[in-house]
Amino acid sequence: MNITEAVAPEPATKTVSAISSTPFAVTIFLSAFLLFQVQLIVGKQLLPWFGGTPAVWNTCLVFFQLLLLAGYAYAHWVTQRLKPPTLTRTHIALLLISVAVLVFLAARWRSPIFPGDSLRPQNPAFPTWDILMLLSASVGLPFFLLSTTGPLVQTWFARSSPQASPYHLYALSNLGSLLGLLTYPFLFEPNLSLRNQGRVWTLTYLLFVLACAICALHFARTSATTAATARREPEYEMADERPTRMQRFLWVGLAACGSIMLLSVTNLICQEIAVVPFLWALPLSIYLLSFVLCFHEKRFYRRGIFQILFAATAAWGGVLFLMGEQVKVRTQIDGFGLLLFAACMVYHGELAALKPNPRQLTSFYLHIATGGAIGSVLVGLIAPHVFPAIWEFQIGLWTSGLLLAVVLWQDNNSWLHHHPRWLAAAVALFVMAVADYIGIPTTILHITPLYFHILLAALAILTVVMLLTGVRTPARHPRTLQAVALCGWCLFGLLFWIQANRQKSRSVLLTRNFYGTLRVTYDDPIAAHHALVLRHGLTLHGAQIQAPNLRRTPTVYYGPSSGIGLLLTNHPNRSATNAEGRPLRLGVVGLGVGTLAAYGQAGDYFKFYEVNPEVVRLSRGESALFTYLNDTPAQSEVVIGDGRVSLDRELTAGNPQKFDVLVIDAFSSDSIPLHLLTREAMGIYLQHLRNPRSVLAFHISNRSLDLRPVLVGLAEQQHLHLIHVYVSQPHFDEETPSDWVLMASDPAILETPAILRQATTVQLPGPAPLWTDDYSNLLQVMK
C-alpha cells in the first residue's frame, strides 16, 4: 500500500458555525501571535548580553523549537490519556499557575518576561547554556503553554465539531505567527520601549488565558455528546487508520528539512552575507508563509510548479556558493531567499498531503515538532562544533532532495512514475547545462568544451523534437527519468563538495564557533605586497602585509588617512612640543587583527576588549597568525568578554582605565551591536576617559546602516563635540574607504589641521534619536 492510500479522506462537511469556531480561532491566533512576539522581545533583550552575534538568535530558536516539541508532546499525551473533565481542569490549572508566575516576576524584575540584571552572566564560557537557562527562567512556562495551544485546541475543536476539518486552524496559527513576526519591527519596536513591550505582551497573554479557558470549558461540555455521535459513525471510524512507519518517518523528515533550511539560510544571510535590519526575519517569514499556503484549504502547493522551482533554485544556490564574493550581496539574498521559499513550499506541501485523519492530529503535530527540533539542534548546536563553515546548508539541501525522491517513489501517481517522454531529455539538458556553466567538463571530466557543447546541442534538438511530436505522449520507460534525476542530484552534491573543498583549500585557516565563521586567506596583493586577511563571512576584519619591513603598517580601515589614523598620529601626546611626555592610553572594544597596535610606541598602554576567544587566538601569542600585538613596542592587554560588560565590571571594581582614546570597533557581521550605542553605554565610556581632552572614536563603516544620527543624539545628550571623518579615496594603497565619528568634551583636541581637512559636520533633517537600553529603532538608521 502506498502512502497516498493511507491518508484518510477529508470529512464531507468542511464548515462549522461561526459561533462555535470563533473562540477556537481567536485562541489559536493569539497563542501563535504571542509565541513569536515573545521570541523577538526576549531575543532583543539577550542580544547585548552575548555580544550581539546572530548565533544568539539561532540559540533562541533552538530553545523555542525544543519547548515547542515539549508542548506538542504534552498535548498529545493529555488528549490520549486524560478524560475531558480531567484534561480541562489540568490545563486551566497550569494556565493560572503561569499567570501567578508572571505576577511574581513582575514584582521582582523590571518587566514580567525580562531576566533581571542579577542573572546577567559574567563573562560566560558557555554562552549557549547560559542563553538556554535565561530563557527557561524568564519565559519557559508561558511559552510552553502557548506551544501546547495549536494541537490541543485543534483537537478540542475536532472533537466538539466532528463534521469540520481542523486543519484550517493550523494555517490560521501560522498566519498569527507571521503577523507577530512582521508587526514587531514596524509597529511595536518603533513605538514601545522594551519594558512596555513586555507589559503589553503580558496583558495580551492574560486575554489568551481567558480565551483558552473558554475553549476548554466548551470542550468539556460538548465532549460527551460528540463522543456518542462519533460512535454512531462507523465510516468515519474506519478511516481512522494508524499511520505507517514510513508516514511517521516522512512527517519527521520533511519537518526537519524545513527547519534545517530555515536556520542555515538565516546563518548564511546574517553571518556570511550581510546584516540588514530585520534581515534575519526574512527567512523566518518565508518559512511561516509556506506553512500558511500549504495548509490552506485551497491547497496552493502544486508539484509541477514548486518542484521545478526547487530544482532550478537549488542549482542557482550551488552556483552562488561557487562564485562567493564575486556575486553582489543583493543577488545572494534574493537567490537564497527564493531557494528557501521553493524548498519550504515543497517540504510543507508534501507534509500537508500526508496529513492524517483528525483523530491522529496531535500525533501528526508531535512528529512535525520533533522534526523541527531535530533540525534546529543539528544546525544550532551540533553544526558549529562539527563543520568549520556553514556547510550544513549544502548537506541539508542535498539530503532533502533524496527524501523528496522517497516521497515521490512511494506515490505511484507521481511524475517520477508517470510523465511525458520529453521530460527525461529536458532534465538531462538542464543538468548538463548547469555542469557546463560551472566548468565540470574542463575541471572534473577534463574533456574539450566543444565536445560537451555538441552533446548539449544534440540534447536540445532531441527535447524539441519530442515536444513537437507529442507533448502528452507518455514515457515507455520511467526508469530513464529516474536515472537522469539521480545523476542530476549527484551533480549538485558534487558541486557543493567542490565549493567546500575550494573554500577550505584556499584558506590559511577556516574555523567556526558560537560567534560565527572566521576565515584567514593569503589574499591578493595589498600595496603590491601579499597580505593575510581575516574575514567574518564577507565582512573584512583586518589585514596584515607579510613583508617583514611592512608588518607594522596599519591597513584597511585603520590607515594613516582614516579618522582613527589621523587622530592617533596627530594626538597631543605624540606632539614634539608635549612637555609632559605622557604616553598614550588607548582602549579598543573589538580586537580584529589588532591593527591599532601598529600605532603603539614605547611606554604606551593599549587595552583591547574582545568577545570571541578565537579572534584573540589568531592575534596574540606564539601561534598567532597576525602579529600586530606581538610586534608593538607598547604594553598591550586583551580582555576576553563583551566590551561593555567588561568596562562596566571595571567601574564596579573601582578601576576606571583613564583612557586618552577609547575606540568602539566591535563588529558583528558588519554592524556595531546596538547595546554599544545607547545612553547607558555612553555613561560607561565617559567614566573611563582621563579628562575632557580624551576622545571617543566610533568606527561606523557599514553597508546597511547609517549610525551617524544615533551618535549625534548621544553626543547632544552628553554635551560632546562631534566630527565625522569619511574617507572615500584613501591616500595610501594599503587602506580601504572608512567611516569614523570622533567625540570629545573639549573641541580643541579634534581641531588639528590634519583632522579638519577631512572632517565634516553631520546635518540631520530632524531631531537626532536617542537610543537607550530600553529603546532602539533600526528603521531610523537604514540606508
Side-chain angles (χ1 to χ4, degrees):
M1 180 176 63
N2 62 44
I3 290 177
T4 56
E5 293 172 343
V7 178
E10 295 286 348
T13 304
K14 293 181 178 288
T15 61
V16 70
S17 67
I19 295 177
S20 60
S21 66
T22 299
F24 297 97
V26 169
T27 302
I28 285 180
F29 181 86
L30 280 177
S31 69
F33 186 87
L34 290 170
L35 271 175
F36 275 81
Q37 283 276 304
V38 76
Q39 293 181 50
L40 302 175
I41 295 171
V42 178
K44 183 176 180 179
Q45 172 75 8
L46 292 182
L47 275 172
W49 291 10
F50 297 91
T53 171
V56 176
W57 173 243
N58 268 1
T59 304
C60 290
L61 284 181
V62 172
F63 171 82
F64 293 127
Q65 286 274 22
L66 292 174
L67 212 54
L68 188 71
L69 173 60
Y72 280 25
Y74 162 86
H76 179 65
W77 187 84
V78 296
T79 54
Q80 298 295 318
R81 300 296 181 91
L82 300 183
K83 295 180 179 180
T86 306
L87 190 159
T88 300
R89 289 194 296 268
T90 301
H91 199 69
I92 291 179
L94 288 175
L95 290 171
L96 294 177
I97 291 173
S98 71
V99 172
V101 170
L102 288 175
V103 172
F104 173 76
L105 294 179
R108 296 180 61 88
W109 296 346
R110 66 191 184 102
S111 179
I113 59 174
F114 291 156
D117 288 338
S118 60
L119 296 180
R120 182 195 294 258
Q122 300 296 317
N123 194 21
F126 303 99
T128 299
W129 179 254
D130 287 313
I131 292 171
L132 296 177
M133 290 299 99
L134 287 169
L135 290 170
S136 299
S138 57
V139 296
L141 182 57
F143 189 93
F144 169 77
L145 291 172
L146 288 169
S147 67
T148 68
T149 305
L152 191 59
V153 173
Q154 286 181 63
T155 300
W156 293 348
F157 174 78
R159 294 184 182 179
S160 301
S161 306
Q163 298 297 322
S165 170
Y167 286 108
H168 71 282
L169 293 176
Y170 188 61
L172 178 65
S173 172
N174 285 285
L175 178 61
S177 300
L178 184 60
L179 290 177
L181 175 68
L182 296 179
T183 56
Y184 180 77
F186 299 105
L187 180 61
F188 290 95
E189 186 183 37
N191 298 303
L192 295 173
S193 65
L194 273 173
R195 180 178 302 181
N196 287 332
Q197 290 172 29
R199 290 170 178 170
V200 170
W201 186 91
T202 303
L203 292 175
T204 311
Y205 181 80
L206 296 178
L207 293 177
F208 155 76
V209 169
L210 177 61
C212 192
I214 292 173
C215 290
L217 294 173
H218 178 75
F219 163 69
R221 287 195 304 269
T222 59
S223 58
T225 304
T226 55
T229 302
R231 285 193 294 270
R232 294 194 298 267
E233 295 178 355
E235 291 183 2
Y236 189 81
E237 187 69 27
M238 288 177 60
D240 186 20
E241 292 189 35
R242 288 187 175 275
T244 65
R245 290 184 178 179
M246 178 57 72
Q247 277 183 281
R248 296 178 185 275
F249 169 75
L250 292 178
W251 289 349
V252 174
L254 290 169
C257 288
S259 179
I260 290 172
M261 284 298 294
L262 166 64
L263 269 73
S264 58
V265 169
T266 300
N267 276 335
L268 278 173
I269 291 179
C270 291
Q271 292 189 30
E272 296 294 298
I273 300 176
V275 167
V276 178
F278 321 120
L279 191 55
W280 53 264
L282 175 63
L284 189 54
S285 300
I286 293 172
Y287 178 81
L288 292 172
L289 179 62
S290 68
F291 268 115
V292 174
L293 296 177
C294 291
F295 280 83
H296 194 275
E297 290 181 334
K298 292 185 178 180
R299 303 184 182 224
F300 290 95
Y301 172 68
R302 297 289 184 274
R303 277 180 174 174
I305 297 175
F306 286 102
Q307 290 189 3
I308 292 175
L309 181 63
F310 175 55
T313 53
W316 179 235
V319 173
L320 290 177
F321 259 108
L322 282 178
M323 299 179 69
E325 300 170 21
Q326 303 174 36
V327 183
K328 294 181 179 179
V329 170
R330 178 62 183 272
T331 302
Q332 294 195 52
I333 293 172
D334 292 344
F336 289 123
L338 182 59
L339 170 57
L340 177 64
F341 175 70
C344 286
M345 284 297 295
V346 172
Y347 305 147
H348 299 152
E350 296 296 336
L351 192 60
L354 295 173
K355 63 180 183 289
N357 184 280
R359 289 182 178 275
Q360 298 292 333
L361 182 143
T362 56
S363 175
F364 178 56
Y365 290 148
L366 178 60
H367 283 79
I368 291 178
T370 301
I374 290 173
S376 64
V377 168
L378 287 175
V379 176
L381 300 183
I382 297 177
H385 299 285
V386 175
F387 303 130
I390 302 178
W391 293 349
E392 62 270 18
F393 171 81
Q394 300 98 304
I395 296 173
L397 180 62
W398 189 78
T399 305
S400 71
L402 298 182
L403 183 65
L404 290 174
V406 173
V407 174
L408 296 173
W409 182 268
Q410 292 287 326
D411 183 2
N412 290 328
N413 296 319
S414 71
W415 58 264
L416 200 60
H417 297 287
H418 303 282
H419 53 268
R421 63 176 184 174
W422 57 265
L423 187 58
V427 172
L429 177 63
F430 173 75
V431 170
M432 295 190 66
V434 173
D436 182 58
Y437 183 79
I438 62 178
I440 293 293
T442 55
T443 59
I444 303 296
L445 302 178
H446 302 292
I447 63 175
T448 305
L450 176 62
Y451 299 147
F452 201 80
H453 292 161
I454 293 174
L455 181 59
L456 273 176
L459 267 175
I461 294 171
L462 177 62
T463 304
V464 172
V465 169
M466 287 183 172
L467 283 169
L468 294 176
T469 57
V471 175
R472 299 183 181 277
T473 304
R476 293 183 179 180
H477 306 289
R479 300 277 184 185
T480 303
L481 175 61
Q482 295 165 9
V484 170
L486 179 61
C487 291
W489 207 248
C490 289
L491 173 65
F492 289 152
L494 177 63
L495 186 152
F496 292 142
W497 180 84
I498 292 173
Q499 184 273 334
N501 186 66
R502 180 181 297 178
Q503 188 180 36
K504 192 171 183 178
S505 63
R506 294 183 178 180
S507 301
V508 176
L509 178 72
L510 187 64
T511 184
R512 180 181 180 188
N513 63 5
F514 176 84
Y515 300 99
T517 300
L518 296 174
R519 184 185 180 197
V520 179
T521 57
Y522 196 55
D523 228 351
D524 294 333
I526 295 180
H529 297 279
H530 285 285
L532 278 182
V533 177
L534 174 65
R535 288 186 176 87
H536 178 227
L538 298 184
T539 302
L540 177 63
H541 275 256
Q544 185 177 28
I545 298 174
Q546 295 302 290
N549 61 323
L550 297 174
R551 291 177 70 86
R552 289 194 58 203
T553 302
T555 60
V556 295
Y557 315 114
Y558 315 99
S561 64
S562 67
I564 189 64
L566 293 171
L567 174 66
L568 294 180
T569 54
N570 294 278
H571 195 276
N573 288 22
R574 296 288 189 246
S575 173
T577 61
N578 180 12
E580 300 180 22
R582 187 176 66 241
L584 189 70
R585 287 183 65 87
L586 179 76
V588 185
V589 177
L591 174 61
V593 301
T595 310
L596 289 179
Y599 291 97
Q601 298 180 5
D604 290 344
Y605 175 74
F606 282 24
K607 189 170 187 176
F608 295 85
Y609 301 86
E610 174 57 50
V611 71
N612 191 345
E614 192 65 24
V615 171
V616 177
R617 186 180 72 84
L618 294 176
S619 304
R620 187 179 180 86
E622 295 181 359
S623 60
L625 295 178
F626 300 92
T627 62
Y628 283 115
L629 285 178
N630 293 341
D631 296 341
T632 182
Q635 179 186 353
S636 64
E637 181 182 356
V638 178
V639 176
I640 299 178
D642 178 77
R644 175 178 163 178
V645 174
S646 300
L647 289 168
D648 191 25
R649 190 182 302 122
E650 289 171 346
L651 290 178
T652 303
N655 185 27
Q657 295 299 298
K658 298 181 180 180
F659 292 125
D660 296 300
V661 178
L662 178 56
V663 180
I664 310 301
D665 184 29
F667 279 89
S668 178
S669 298
D670 203 30
S671 67
I672 295 177
L674 300 184
H675 70 296
L676 300 180
L677 290 172
T678 66
R679 179 184 59 198
E680 292 80 2
M682 284 290 290
I684 296 173
Y685 303 154
L686 292 176
Q687 293 181 70
H688 278 284
L689 299 183
R690 183 190 297 274
N691 53 44
R693 291 174 61 82
S694 298
V695 180
L696 282 174
F698 292 85
H699 184 195
I700 60 171
S701 301
N702 196 283
R703 293 173 289 184
S704 309
L705 308 176
D706 180 7
L707 297 171
R708 293 176 302 164
V710 179
L711 294 174
V712 170
L714 294 173
E716 291 176 351
Q717 200 270 337
Q718 297 290 348
H719 307 291
L720 301 176
H721 183 70
L722 177 149
I723 63 170
H724 175 225
V725 182
Y726 174 64
V727 179
S728 59
Q729 296 180 337
H731 299 165
F732 303 94
D733 293 337
E734 65 269 13
E735 296 185 47
T736 58
S738 61
D739 202 355
W740 289 82
V741 168
L742 310 178
M743 300 183 194
S745 296
D746 184 356
I749 190 71
L750 304 176
E751 293 177 350
T752 61
I755 294 178
L756 289 178
R757 281 194 294 268
Q758 294 288 341
T760 60
T761 57
V762 180
Q763 302 293 331
L764 301 180
L770 179 61
W771 286 3
T772 67
D773 286 349
D774 209 34
Y775 173 80
S776 60
N777 179 13
L778 285 172
L779 287 176
Q780 297 171 326
V781 295
M782 289 182 65
K783 286 185 178 179

